[in-house]
């Protein structure tokens, strides 16, 4: 695209449902466009609340390098003919980062925005905005003062000719088919669909199939990273209707249902139930039957059943209707043989005769069909089948064999177990607290010396040790707490071994205790657990006579419990998807429902080579709370369509949904060798940043950091909706502690939390790896950010610049105050002096003024509130210009694989310490960013609460004497410890729930 000839084209298409302003129930609307110091104006449509313009304007782009900083503003006014004035009807602002080339542009209907707090607007404005470098196009003529009073349109619309750009004309009309007035308001114009050569009408009533929507790039002006890495808002046609600006515009054919956040896909379902009286094919008088289901180039195969003339399969096959290239379905029964399989018979179906089944209709009843031979004659044997056409809402869909997920290596139904969509539930995790108090009557191997004893505790692969005690008797005292993570159902026992350190590197076992975790007491608070004495068992056989001589056996004094009052952290604390305690009796009712539609992925990077070309076998994994979901694997496709919808209960808005895309490396013979599933990218979405009831449809770039730098691996298209079930409970949650009460009453150390989190991730990965199909360990670790605590120079720099960004406002205030002191602007300085003297004279106005000022800032920022979830930002993550040596350090193993040994030791120590510093700096930055988010509407509910509080506080402080407020505040700050609580206060709990820019960290 030629930079020198760049122009911004704006097609003003139409408006819908405008507000009447002429006193007669109508309006005479016209549009004014503002961009880069240029202003253009459309014609006036007399007495029409649904005007249609179809006019095109071209703006000059003075400096393409600052295009992302510019904004296109479109204002709609009502023309008052009597006074030659105008009345405001609404406006639309479009950021420069959302401008796309002309081939990618589509018409979008933008909801009209208010100009001020008290503005009253309604309706939508249809615009098509694009960038073009066509040298034959000249910019439009600006509006002159003389023209402003004469720009009126004809009341009758003239026919529109084919689209030819007229450089001398002030208006260029966009080609649209002529319709009557009702059609013009109800039917959007035709759009060109990507990957197809023809044009289709965008209206569902005219189109034979739902149309894949085109991406619409609408980025935030605060996003400073490349446009290719930014979020893109889309307007897809889903099961509930067309999504425009977060709202679902329903059509007659689009009704809300279970799968209203995904595109409706039709499948041909074939249920092969069983057969009877099959003819014998072998000399032995039997056969080994199996069934092939064939349509076009697709073939699904059941497993064969040996020597059975009445086999039962009960298998469902699903063929994607949009990829079928045949009109006949054949179900063939064959006999498995060593050399060549014998042909038994078949049943043929005409697809035009297959019935449609729509849930909640009952499942289609299978029928017996007589088999035919190759000549079409009936033979002995019958096959029970059910054939119907349904959608992904069909209950047979999850367990069916899918044609678009069929591996070319093995197309049998048995192989589809590795590629089916599944829902997993992570095990319920408990903290095991073992307080080792003391031992009694220890008997070492050498009775002439006192034991140098310690206790080793073990649950599965988790091993903890107490400190060795060199006591001057046989009764050592430790009084140490050892912590473990255990998962229900409990499979491993708690094993405690008392060992004696005889010499350096040589330990001898004195005795052992085995405690089944099912027998351990459970608690949900910090009540005292009664201690017990356990007899130590000898690890080896002892002479019976010796046992008779010993009057007492060695004992171990313990307090063991399962702590259910904690939340077991099994993921990064910045991206927690669940904050509930283990004990179910402490759970609160859910506050809402989160619905996720995984639509499709585009432009995926090839992860493997097959038949000489790059390809990928991808699936998506979504994690929220205890529920993990996995879509079906789409084989050999870089533009896979999943269209699967899932639902979660939400208990806390300060949680994060994580969606990852992976390449399935387990298909075929190579998968059996333990190849790891390759990560393609992931998306994180914080629930508190979602407005209630709005449908978010965005295309998320999959950004992954490689040793060579940041790389875009494709884009993932998602649809999201958060629905609130209890608004009062949701507001109450903002005043509650972020974690359960036990985390504050008996907190863990940072080292303990890191160790326990590592063990929890291992347990979850082990359990999910035993499912069918397994959710592999590398997937669980990637979704849980298991290595987020390791040292990285890049992350440290990113956190430092985040911290600097937090204090940018403070630095600006300091510079402004320095300018005031230096009288650089005398007028401003005099006004500041007057304000200062007034506040000194009336100190009771200070706090009301501050709170009222913050209230006004919050209300003002409401119009600029973010309209999309945050996403990974390469600029904030310092991933754009990172040094190769820093990347080599970040991707180095821990411990390091570099030599020599001395450097390795020091290097590991440095990385460990620096990792702690990195975390502290990030936490400081998070607190500052939460202060900024108070009035930024990043969390719309929290900002609404705070803005309301500011208004109430301003009113209360205005009528209350300042001396009373100061006295109460001082007394409260210096209150007696008896009146203090160990649980954080309501303001602290509210503050900790605010979102920070951690969601944008890569």
């Amino acid at each position: 695209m030629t930079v020198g000839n760049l122009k911004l084209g704006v097609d003003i298409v139409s408006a819908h449902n405008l507000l009447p302003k002429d006193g007669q129930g109508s309006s005479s609307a016209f549009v004014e466009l503002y961009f880069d110091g240029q202003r253009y104006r459309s014609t006036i449509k007399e007495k029409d609340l649904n005007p249609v313009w179809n006019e095109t304007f071209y703006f000059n782009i003075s400096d393409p390098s600052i295009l992302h900083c510019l904004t296109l503003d479109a204002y709609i006014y009502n023309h008052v003919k009597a006074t030659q004035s105008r009345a405001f009807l609404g406006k639309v602002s479009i950021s420069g980062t959302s401008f796309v080339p002309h081939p990618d542009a589509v018409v979008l209907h933008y909801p009209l925005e208010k100009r001020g707090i008290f503005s009253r607007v309604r309706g939508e404005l249809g615009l098509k905005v694009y960038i073009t470098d066509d040298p034959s196009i000249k910019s439009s003529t600006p509006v002159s003062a003389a023209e402003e009073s004469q720009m009126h349109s004809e009341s009758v619309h003239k026919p529109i000719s084919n689209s030819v750009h007229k450089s001398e004309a002030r208006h260029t009309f966009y080609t649209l088919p002529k319709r009557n007035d009702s059609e013009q308001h109800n039917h959007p114009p035709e759009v060109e669909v990507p990957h197809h050569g023809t044009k289709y009408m965008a209206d569902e009533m005219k189109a034979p199939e739902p149309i894949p929507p085109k991406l619409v790039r609408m980025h935030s002006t605060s996003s400073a990273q490349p446009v290719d890495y930014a979020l893109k808002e889309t307007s897809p046609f889903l099961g509930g209707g067309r999504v425009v600006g977060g709202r679902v515009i329903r059509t007659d054919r689009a009704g809300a249902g279970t799968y209203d956040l995904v595109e409706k896909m039709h499948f041909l379902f074939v249920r092969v139930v069983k057969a009877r009286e099959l003819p014998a094919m072998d000399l032995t008088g039997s056969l080994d039957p199996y069934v092939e289901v064939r349509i076009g180039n697709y073939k699904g195969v059941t497993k064969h059943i040996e020597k059975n003339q009445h086999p039962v399969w009960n298998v469902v096959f699903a063929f994607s209707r949009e990829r079928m290239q045949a009109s006949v379905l054949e179900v063939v029964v064959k006999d498995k043989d060593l050399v060549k399989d014998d042909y038994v018979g078949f049943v043929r179906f005409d697809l035009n005769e297959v019935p449609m089944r729509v849930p909640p209709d009952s499942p289609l009843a299978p029928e017996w069909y007589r088999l035919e031979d190759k000549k079409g004659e009936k033979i002995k044997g019958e096959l029970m089948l059910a054939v119907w056409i349904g959608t992904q809402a069909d209950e047979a869909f999850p367990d069916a064999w899918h044609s678009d997920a069929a591996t070319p290596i093995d197309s049998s139904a048995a192989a589809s177990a590795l590629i089916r969509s599944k829902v997993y539930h992570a095990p319920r995790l408990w903290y095991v607290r073992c307080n080792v108090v003391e031992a009694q009557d220890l008997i070492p191997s050498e009775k002439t010396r006192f034991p140098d004893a310690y206790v080793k505790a073990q649950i599965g692969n988790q091993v903890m040790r107490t400190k060795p005690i060199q006591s001057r008797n046989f009764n050592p005292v430790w009084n140490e707490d050892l912590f473990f993570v255990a998962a229900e159902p409990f499979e491993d026992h708690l094993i405690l071994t008392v060992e004696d350190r005889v010499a350096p590197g040589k330990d001898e076992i004195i005795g052992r205790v085995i405690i089944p975790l099912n027998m351990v007491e459970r608690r949900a608070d910090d009540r005292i657990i009664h201690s017990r004495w356990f007899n130590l068992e000898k690890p080896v056989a002892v002479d019976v006579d010796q046992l008779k001589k010993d009057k007492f056996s060695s004992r171990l004094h313990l307090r063991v419990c399962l702590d259910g009052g904690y939340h077991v952290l099994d993921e990064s604390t910045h991206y927690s998807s669940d904050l509930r305690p283990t004990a179910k009796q402490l759970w609160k009712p859910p506050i809402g429902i989160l619905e996720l539609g995984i639509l499709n992925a585009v432009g995926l990077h090839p992860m493997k080579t097959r038949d000489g070309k790059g390809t990928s076998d991808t699936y998506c994994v979504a994690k929220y709370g205890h529920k993990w979901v996995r879509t079906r694997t789409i084989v050999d496709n870089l533009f896979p369509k999943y269209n699967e919808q899932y639902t979660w209960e939400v208990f806390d808005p300060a949680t994060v949904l994580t969606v990852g895309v992976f390449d399935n490396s387990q298909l075929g013979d190579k998968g059996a060798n333990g190849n790891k599933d390759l990560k393609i990218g992931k998306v994180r979405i914080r629930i508190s940043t979602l407005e209630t009831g709005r449908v978010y449809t965005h295309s998320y770039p999959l950004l992954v950091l490689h040793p060579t730098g940041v790389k875009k691996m494709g884009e993932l298209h998602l649809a999201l909706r958060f629905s609130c079930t209890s608004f009062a409970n949701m507001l109450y949650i903002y005043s509650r502690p972020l974690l359960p009460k036990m985390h504050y009453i008996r907190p863990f150390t940072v080292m303990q939390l890191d160790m326990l989190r590592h063990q929890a991730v291992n347990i979850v990965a082990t359990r999910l790896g035993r499912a069918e199909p397994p959710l592999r360990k590398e997937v669980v670790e990637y979704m849980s950010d298991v290595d987020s605590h390791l040292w990285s120079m890049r992350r440290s720099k990113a956190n430092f610049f985040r911290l600097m960004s937090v204090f940018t406002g403070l630095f600006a205030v300091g510079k402004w105050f320095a300018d005031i002191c230096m009288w650089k602007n005398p007028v401003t300085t005099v006004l500041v002096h007057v304000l200062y003297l007034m506040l000194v004279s009336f100190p009771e106005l200070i706090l009301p003024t501050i709170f009222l000022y913050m209230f006004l800032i919050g209300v003002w920022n409401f119009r600029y509130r973010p309209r999309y979830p945050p996403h990974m930002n390469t600029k904030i993550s310092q991933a754009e210009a990172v040094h190769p040596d820093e990347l080599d350090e970040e991707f180095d193993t821990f411990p390091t694989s570099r030599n020599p040994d001395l450097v390795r030791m020091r290097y590991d120590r440095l990385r460990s310490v620096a990792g702690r510093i990195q975390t502290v700096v990030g936490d400081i930055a998070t607190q500052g960013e939460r202060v900024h988010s108070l009035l930024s509407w990043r969390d719309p509910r929290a900002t609404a609460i705070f803005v309301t509080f500011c208004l109430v506080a301003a009113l209360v402080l205005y009528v209350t004497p300042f001396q009373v407020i100061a006295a109460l505040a001082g007394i409260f700050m210096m209150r007696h410890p008896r009146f203090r609580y160990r649980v954080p206060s309501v303001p602290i709990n509210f503050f900790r729930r605010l979102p920070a820019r951690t969601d944008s960290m890569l």
Side-chain angles (χ1 to χ4, degrees), residues 867-921:
R867 296 297 188 131
Y868 61 93
H871 188 53
M872 298 174 185
N873 192 300
T874 57
K875 186 79 172 181
I876 297 175
S877 304
Q878 294 292 311
E880 291 181 325
V882 60
H883 195 274
D885 182 64
E886 295 177 5
L887 286 175
D888 179 70
E889 180 184 18
E890 182 169 349
F891 283 92
D892 186 17
T893 57
F894 188 85
T896 177
S897 58
R898 307 298 185 264
N899 53 10
D901 294 340
L902 180 61
V903 175
R904 178 182 302 164
M905 184 272 294
R906 293 177 178 175
Y907 186 52
D908 291 344
R909 181 175 60 188
L910 174 63
R911 293 176 70 188
S912 178
V913 174
R916 302 294 175 194
I917 298 174
Q918 162 189 306
T919 303
V920 171
V921 173

Side-chain angles (χ1 to χ4, degrees), residues 432 434 455-465 482-485 492-497 499 512-515 517:
V432 181
C434 179
V455 178
K456 182 177 74 174
Q458 182 174 0
I459 298 180
N461 296 326
Q462 307 173 65
V463 179
M464 297 287 293
R465 291 179 175 84
L482 305 178
F483 295 96
F484 303 88
V485 179
D492 299 312
H493 301 317
L494 172 61
I495 303 174
L496 297 108
T497 307
E499 299 187 6
R512 178 184 289 121
V513 175
I514 299 177
I515 304 175
L517 291 180

Side-chain angles (χ1 to χ4, degrees), residues 7 100 110 152 178 230 242 308 355 567 576 674 680 732 789 810 904 968:
K7 290 181 175 59
V100 297
Y110 297 87
H152 299 278
K178 182 173 177 61
R242 175 76 69 180
N308 194 330
H567 167 68
S576 294
I680 297 178
Y732 174 71
H789 64 285
L810 186 61
R904 178 182 302 164
L968 292 177

Side-chain angles (χ1 to χ4, degrees), residues 285-457:
S286 66
L287 79 164
D288 305 329
Y290 69 92
V291 176
E292 280 185 3
V293 181
R294 298 186 302 202
I295 179 169
N297 295 328
Y298 294 101
K299 179 179 68 174
V301 184
T302 68
K303 64 180 181 180
H304 73 278
I305 300 178
E306 295 184 356
K307 297 181 180 180
N308 194 330
Q309 294 179 279
H310 298 81
V312 177
W313 293 284
N314 200 20
V315 178
V316 179
F317 298 87
F319 298 89
S320 178
R321 190 176 181 184
E322 66 176 12
R323 301 177 67 177
M324 291 190 304
Q325 300 177 351
S327 60
V328 176
L329 167 70
E330 288 187 351
V331 184
V332 183
V333 180
K334 291 187 175 182
D335 175 31
K336 188 72 174 178
D337 207 341
L338 293 176
V339 180
K340 183 179 180 181
D341 297 342
D342 295 327
Y343 189 94
V344 179
F346 74 95
V347 179
R348 181 174 293 167
F349 295 88
D350 186 350
L351 295 187
N352 296 323
E353 305 297 329
V354 175
M356 176 78 71
R357 186 221 166 207
V358 180
D361 292 348
S362 299
L364 191 66
E367 302 179 29
W368 287 105
Y369 292 90
R370 191 73 174 266
L371 295 177
E372 300 178 4
D373 59 13
K374 293 182 179 180
K375 298 179 181 180
E377 299 178 357
K378 300 293 184 182
I379 63 172
K380 181 182 179 183
E382 292 180 304
L383 187 62
M384 179 177 278
L385 299 171
V387 182
W388 72 96
I389 293 176
T391 65
Q392 66 265 49
D394 201 294
E395 60 268 15
F397 179 81
D399 294 324
W401 173 94
H402 290 273
S403 60
D404 58 354
T407 166
I409 302 170
D410 188 354
S411 61
S412 65
S416 66
L418 292 172
I419 56 180
R420 289 177 180 169
S421 57
K422 290 295 179 181
V423 176
Y424 306 82
H425 279 275
R428 189 154 63 125
L429 302 177
W430 292 79
Y431 282 140
V432 181
R433 184 190 297 265
C434 179
N435 178 238
V436 182
V437 183
E438 59 181 331
Q440 190 179 65
D441 299 332
L442 294 183
I443 304 175
S445 58
E446 300 178 11
K447 298 186 178 181
T448 58
R449 54 177 288 274
F450 295 108
D452 184 6
Y454 66 92
V455 178
K456 182 177 74 174

Side-chain angles (χ1 to χ4, degrees), residues 856-869:
L856 294 176
I857 292 177
V859 172
W860 178 260
N861 287 343
F862 177 77
R863 60 190 295 188
Y864 304 111
R865 66 192 185 278
R867 296 297 188 131
Y868 61 93

Side-chain angles (χ1 to χ4, degrees), residues 630-649:
R630 169 180 177 158
T631 67
R632 67 193 189 281
T633 300
I634 307 298
V635 176
D636 198 16
N637 198 333
L638 299 179
F639 294 84
K641 290 185 177 181
Y642 305 101
N643 283 312
E644 299 185 22
Q645 184 170 337
Y646 300 95
T647 304
W648 287 268
E649 286 185 329

Side-chain angles (χ1 to χ4, degrees), residues 590-664:
I591 62 170
I593 299 295
L594 175 65
E595 298 168 274
L596 169 68
I598 304 176
L599 302 178
N600 62 327
V602 295
L604 294 182
H605 192 274
M607 306 301 292
K608 63 183 65 168
T609 302
R610 181 179 293 141
D611 298 332
K613 65 176 183 177
T615 186
S616 291
D617 308 324
T618 59
Y619 64 92
C620 297
V621 174
K623 177 195 187 306
Y624 186 77
H626 291 170
K627 182 178 176 181
W628 297 62
V629 299
R630 169 180 177 158
T631 67
R632 67 193 189 281
T633 300
I634 307 298
V635 176
D636 198 16
N637 198 333
L638 299 179
F639 294 84
K641 290 185 177 181
Y642 305 101
N643 283 312
E644 299 185 22
Q645 184 170 337
Y646 300 95
T647 304
W648 287 268
E649 286 185 329
V650 176
F651 294 86
D652 197 310
T655 47
V656 175
L657 167 72
T658 305
V659 185
V661 184
F662 301 88
D663 177 74
N664 195 332

